[in-house]
Amino acid sequence: MNKEILFRGKRIDNGEWVCGSLLTNKMGSYIVTKECTQYGYIEIDGYYRIDGYYRVDPKTIGQRIDRVFVYGYGGVDPICRGDIIGFPYEGQDIVGWVKVEFGIPIIVSPRLEDGFIYLSEVLEVDEDLAVFTGRWLGNIHDNPELLGVLGE
């Protein structure tokens, strides 16, 4: 079984978000995007630079949750660790952030009885895709003010 594991991170050079494979070494953390070509590399100061590699802030790296999507500002987008989402649950409007514990995606919120809920409990599954029933509100890196809503 070949399962593609993708990550999102914020580029150090311009602050934009990129999604792809994660590469971490002693020089830093990098996201390798799909635009990377097999032979698209050049040598700079003894190091190889490959087109499609972007250095990212390691604090912003979040793993994409496999085959789970949410309604966001630009339509339907994948959910990543660190996203802040709002959703209806048992008659309440809940705001929480996505975290992965022991490989299982959860939503953390002080408004939930146990402080968290499994992401799978609030998904609508349609064939191979699961769509989150709530809305994407931001993420803990670009919208830290939303953590105040969460009591974090």
Side-chain angles (χ1 to χ4, degrees):
M1 175 171 118
N2 288 337
K3 181 173 140 182
E4 186 176 35
I5 299 173
L6 296 176
F7 294 84
R8 178 182 68 191
K10 200 169 195 177
R11 289 174 51 175
I12 288 179
D13 62 346
N14 64 10
E16 291 181 9
W17 288 95
V18 289
C19 185
S21 299
L22 177 63
L23 170 66
T24 302
N25 59 29
K26 64 182 177 180
M27 294 176 59
S29 298
Y30 299 84
I31 297 288
V32 184
T33 64
K34 289 188 180 260
E35 292 83 39
C36 179
T37 60
Q38 184 176 358
Y39 301 107
Y41 62 85
I42 57 175
E43 186 176 344
I44 301 174
D45 298 329
Y47 295 100
Y48 288 103
R49 182 192 176 280
I50 300 177
D51 291 337
Y53 273 55
Y54 300 100
R55 188 161 184 206
V56 295
D57 180 349
K59 294 182 297 233
T60 66
I61 296 170
Q63 185 174 347
R64 190 170 137 179
I65 309 299
D66 190 37
R67 295 189 310 266
V68 177
F69 296 85
V70 66
Y71 294 103
Y73 296 115
V76 180
D77 297 309
I79 290 181
C80 291
R81 184 179 60 92
D83 281 347
I84 298 174
I85 48 184
F87 60 99
Y89 182 71
E90 294 184 351
Q92 302 182 70
D93 287 327
I94 303 291
V95 174
W97 63 283
V98 178
K99 185 175 180 181
V100 178
E101 290 283 336
F102 305 107
I104 300 171
I106 62 173
I107 303 170
V108 177
S109 175
R111 295 197 58 201
L112 295 165
E113 185 176 325
D114 295 328
F116 75 95
I117 187 173
Y118 294 104
L119 183 62
S120 60
E121 292 184 47
V122 288
L123 295 176
E124 295 176 6
V125 179
D126 181 21
E127 295 183 22
D128 288 338
L129 298 178
V131 177
F132 180 68
T133 57
R135 268 195 70 200
W136 183 84
L137 301 173
N139 64 63
I140 61 175
H141 310 290
D142 288 340
N143 311 99
E145 71 279 1
L146 293 177
L147 292 177
V149 174
L150 299 172
E152 297 289 320

